[in-house]
Amino acid sequence: MEHTASSVQVGIPAAVLKPKKVRRRLDMTLWEKLYVAEIVRGLVVTSKHFFINMIGFIFPPAGKKRKVFTVYYPEEKLTLPPAYRGRPVLVADSDGAPKCVACGLCEKMCPAHAISVVAAEKAPGERYPERYTLDLGRCVYCGYCEEVCPKEAIVMSDEYQGLAQRDRHRLRFEKDQLLRPEGKVKARLSYVRRIYSKWNY
């Protein structure tokens, strides 16, 4: 059997990788060109959701879990999954000091250049971040900072309140504002250890 470069590269037999013919000159009927059926179907779906939510809002079922998927924020809050990427925060040790050793990997890896770290030394060979600035106005919540951190010192938390501001200067957070005790981000840390454990050599 003859192997092409693509079949060797992908690992699939060449017979399976045959290109399929596409009918480019497919003639549509007048009814299909008008898209009336699709528009009506879309309106039916939208109207169904609207009226179900409106009835559930006016007459919520007493003592039952309602079928309406709308969350009445801020009275109700969602239970976010551990994979949710909220505000990046710094993890603090039991004594309240940041676990960060100011290696600068998060600053180097950040695609939006939202992190700025100024390192200092407590003792010879023992570094800590003298200043740690995070500009959430530039952050893209990619999670590269937590992925690259060797000390699990920065994680994506489940915090989402206060991320929309009219003044961009209020989106600049310093070290003291970012510090969170390890117990508060325990769920996220266990999630990070689970998903990245296969890459630890």
Side-chain angles (χ1 to χ4, degrees):
M1 182 178 164
E2 195 177 83
H3 292 284
T4 61
S6 59
S7 68
V8 173
Q9 183 181 2
V10 180
I12 302 172
V16 181
L17 293 174
K18 281 194 306 188
K20 295 183 180 178
K21 291 182 181 178
V22 179
R23 289 179 60 196
R24 298 202 182 275
R25 297 187 176 224
L26 185 63
D27 295 329
M28 297 171 70
T29 63
L30 178 63
W31 181 253
E32 290 172 335
K33 287 179 183 177
L34 292 176
Y35 293 106
V36 174
E38 297 304 318
I39 291 171
V40 170
R41 190 169 14 165
L43 286 171
V44 167
V45 172
T46 306
S47 303
K48 184 178 80 171
H49 286 304
F50 173 77
F51 287 114
I52 288 174
N53 282 320
M54 184 61 76
I55 292 166
F57 181 75
I58 298 170
F59 307 109
K64 292 184 181 178
K65 187 177 180 182
R66 66 177 185 273
K67 295 179 182 177
V68 182
F69 53 78
T70 307
V71 177
Y72 299 137
Y73 181 84
E75 290 82 13
E76 295 178 5
K77 298 224 170 54
L78 283 172
T79 304
L80 297 168
Y84 177 78
R85 292 179 185 163
R87 182 201 330 263
V89 294
L90 289 174
V91 183
D93 277 329
S94 55
D95 59 351
K99 292 173 73 175
C100 178
V101 292
C103 63
L105 284 174
C106 56
E107 181 181 13
K108 189 74 174 171
M109 186 59 72
C110 182
H113 306 290
I115 299 173
S116 173
V117 184
V118 177
E121 283 193 4
K122 296 182 195 174
E126 192 175 340
R127 291 159 53 102
Y128 75 99
E130 186 176 17
R131 282 193 64 199
Y132 195 103
T133 308
L134 175 64
D135 189 354
L136 282 180
R138 302 181 75 171
C139 180
V140 294
Y141 302 91
C142 61
Y144 287 169
C145 52
E146 86 174 345
E147 186 177 342
V148 77
C149 183
K151 297 291 184 180
E152 295 178 341
I154 183 167
V155 292
M156 308 297 287
S157 69
D158 59 355
E159 299 175 17
Y160 57 87
Q161 291 180 311
L163 297 184
Q165 300 285 347
R166 292 184 183 274
D167 185 9
R168 290 179 65 91
H169 295 292
R170 297 181 67 183
L171 292 171
R172 289 179 65 86
F173 292 90
E174 298 297 331
K175 180 176 67 173
D176 298 336
Q177 298 169 292
L178 295 170
L179 275 175
R180 300 290 182 276
E182 193 169 352
K184 193 170 180 183
V185 291
K186 192 174 183 181
R188 180 65 186 185
L189 282 170
S190 61
Y191 171 77
V192 167
R193 287 168 189 158
R194 189 173 75 250
I195 63 169
Y196 296 141
S197 61
K198 57 187 173 185
W199 305 113
N200 293 338
Y201 299 105

